[in-house]
Amino acid sequence: MCGFVGIYGNEDVAPQVYDSLIALQHRGQDAAGICSYDSHTFHLKKGMGLVRDIFHEGNMVRLKGQMGIGHVRYPTIGGYGIEDAQPFISHSPFGIAMAHNGNVFNSWELKEDLFKNDHCLVGSSCDVEVILNLFRSALLKQKIKNKLTFENMCKAAKSVFERAKGAYTVVGIIAGHGMIAFRDPHAIRPGIIGIRRGGMKDEYIIASEKIALDILGFEVLRDLAPGEFIHIDVEHELHSKIVMKRSYSPCIFEYVYLARPDSVIDKISVYNARLRMGKKLGKRIKKLNWDIDVVIPVPDSSRPAAVGVSDVLKIKYREGLVKNRYIGRTFIMPGQAIRQKSIHYKLNPIEYEIKGRNVLLVDDSIVRGNTSEKIVKMLRKTGAKKIYFASAAPELRNPCLYGIDMPERESFIANQLTVEQIREKINVDGLIYQTMEDLRDCVVPYNKKMTPCGACMDGKYVTGDIDEDVLAQADNLRSCGGMGAQQSDQMKLI
Ligand code: AMP
């Protein structure tokens, strides 16, 4: 769960990279970084925490150059220190900087392999450093004598695709050669490219989500295709090639939870997909004859779904929970205890909308069940008569090895309890989950070319290389504190 951006403009781009990172902040709050390139050298600034806390006039002025890449981090692999913050730079060959969103689940093996066979030490536990070194090593193996060509770069990207298992969209700069980007052969993580015409030369942006384009006035060119490699050369000319295509399987959980509702991913509006999720739920709730007075979303990501439910049921939608947006770093701390305390800290009920009413709460998903349990408790204390709960996502059961932070299998409440038992545990009068079929129906008909990945719900890992051993390894890593374990304790309450 990270966000990235790359901008190739006509003047210093770091301020625009900063603005895009602010727009992508929801994708990661743990660390952030910007690397610019001014035709001579890279300028890098990384820090822990929120974008607004890391960058200021003093450090932005030195981020010179018409090319810049930026990153916001929410670790799914690696540690939590500054050494794992992105972007990463390698000074030879040429000088390459990279940032990504995704997860390379064989990165530990690759690190060993890179050391043994490619004589290259990966210093951090961040998987983009592995990708960077795979790419660089593939360039070195080509023994490039004169100019680095587009074909050389495509070969290097192909080698990354062959070796790095998982999902990743990558943006980078190659000194003296321009900007590059590539999306994994299953297109699991998002990546969109935009153009701004009318200046001295065409300017380009490549980002995790469309909002980064919107705020800077870039027009959408298209989403990156599965296995596509893109190069924008020093003349601002765009070159592209599908290096290796396997399937077109964007992550369905982006639509459920992660992306901003005003983004459009792979031609599908996130807002509309969420609205449809609500409508599907609404149709099924209608048949249950629940006695509901008011539909209330758990802010923020479930709002459009709650609107959809309310439209179908013709029962009023009300804001009954107010989220404190200014908690920032205080909330992003490891440890279950802090997270539990923070539920009250972060969400506060509006008594007027709740007291004496039968409430239907709509949330995007239930993972461990802690959030729903706490919210229900809070609403009961506030005087709700009956409480029903609807989840816009089906039961989550499987770790995501493609870049969404999820706990080990035994921590998913749906792996421990039946729906009826979950209803009892979270103490609601009725509980409904979306069905997988309905969820797919909210997305697939709107871009028929894709077969989205929903492995966290249905266990069908689209890359076809995840077996019980890999899953057991992921569970192990997670329970001994690797791969985002602390982070899942801090799960965002939205
Ligand atoms: P839980 O208490 O574990 O059931 O968390 C459920 C809440 O976490 C829901 O309100 C979701 O909006 C949110 N959520 C869902 N997936 C994630 C994730 N991968 N990381 C952080 N928060 C999440």
Side-chain angles (χ1 to χ4, degrees), residues 292-300 302-307 309-310 313 315-322 347-355 357-364 375 378-379 382 384 386-391:
I292 305 162
D293 298 321
V294 63
V295 178
I296 290 179
V298 176
D300 281 318
S302 68
R303 280 205 177 97
V307 170
V309 171
S310 141
L313 295 180
I315 295 173
K316 65 190 172 209
Y317 167 103
R318 288 291 184 271
E319 294 288 338
L321 291 163
V322 178
L347 282 178
N348 203 39
I350 300 176
E351 190 180 335
Y352 173 80
E353 293 293 358
I354 289 157
K355 199 169 177 181
R357 288 188 172 163
N358 296 338
V359 173
L360 170 61
L361 269 179
V362 180
D363 202 353
D364 56 84
I375 292 172
M378 189 160 73
L379 293 199
T382 311
K386 285 187 183 166
I387 304 176
Y388 302 97
F389 199 101
S391 164

Side-chain angles (χ1 to χ4, degrees), residues 58-74:
N59 55 37
M60 287 295 293
V61 286
R62 67 174 185 78
L63 298 176
K64 297 267 177 237
Q66 291 169 255
M67 258 182 253
I69 59 175
H71 189 261
V72 285
R73 174 168 161 85
Y74 188 124

Side-chain angles (χ1 to χ4, degrees), residues 1-3 20-29 72 74 208-209 211 254 257-263 274 492 494:
M1 280 158 60
C2 292
S20 340
L21 292 184
I22 292 280
L24 295 170
Q25 185 76 82
H26 60 287
R27 299 186 70 88
Q29 303 90 35
V72 285
Y74 188 124
S208 296
E209 286 185 42
I211 33 148
E254 290 273 354
Y257 165 76
L258 185 54
R260 254 175 64 157
D262 45 344
S263 276
R274 288 183 189 162
K492 220 162 67 132
I494 48 172

Side-chain angles (χ1 to χ4, degrees), residues 10 73 123 152 181 183 211 274 308 313 418 441 448 491:
N10 285 321
R73 174 168 161 85
N152 293 138
R183 191 175 184 189
I211 33 148
R274 288 183 189 162
L313 295 180
T418 63
D441 242 24
K448 291 195 175 117
M491 276 195 184

